[in-house]
Amino acid sequence: LVKEYDKDVVSVVGGHHASALPKHLLQEADYCLHGEADHSFPNLILALNGKKKISEVNGLSYIDEKGKLIQEKKKTLVTPVK
């Protein structure tokens, strides 16, 4: 919906739906973050600002310039607070 107002807005989705059906959500969103995004989201911001490679963002799905679904593996979990 936001792309109707500004096609240059970067959209990111997360949560259970994004983890289960990224290809479906990527029809509307630019990026999907899987699982716990506490570390992934800040790294995505760094990548979007050219300070990190997009391929270095754990748990990220997106459609590349060739139209291929790219899914980076989730490599880190947030340590539970005790």
Side-chain angles (χ1 to χ4, degrees):
L1 185 64
V2 71
K3 297 273 187 188
E4 292 176 12
Y5 295 100
D6 186 348
K7 64 179 178 61
D8 295 325
V9 169
V10 176
S11 57
V12 182
V13 295
H16 298 292
H17 195 85
S19 297
L21 300 167
K23 192 172 186 178
H24 173 75
L25 287 175
L26 289 169
Q27 293 173 12
E28 300 290 330
D30 297 309
Y31 300 98
C32 285
L33 288 170
H34 305 273
E36 300 168 330
D38 299 67
H39 298 291
S40 300
F41 187 72
N43 287 326
L44 175 60
I45 299 303
L46 289 172
L48 293 174
N49 286 304
K51 296 181 179 166
K52 190 171 210 148
K53 292 181 181 177
I54 200 81
S55 62
E56 295 175 344
V57 181
N58 294 336
L60 180 69
S61 291
Y62 59 96
I63 305 295
D64 71 6
E65 60 279 345
K66 296 178 184 174
K68 180 180 176 188
L69 174 65
I70 305 296
Q71 292 185 291
E72 302 296 340
K73 298 243 187 253
K74 185 70 177 170
K75 299 174 187 145
T76 57
L77 293 175
V78 175
T79 305
V81 177
K82 294 182 180 185

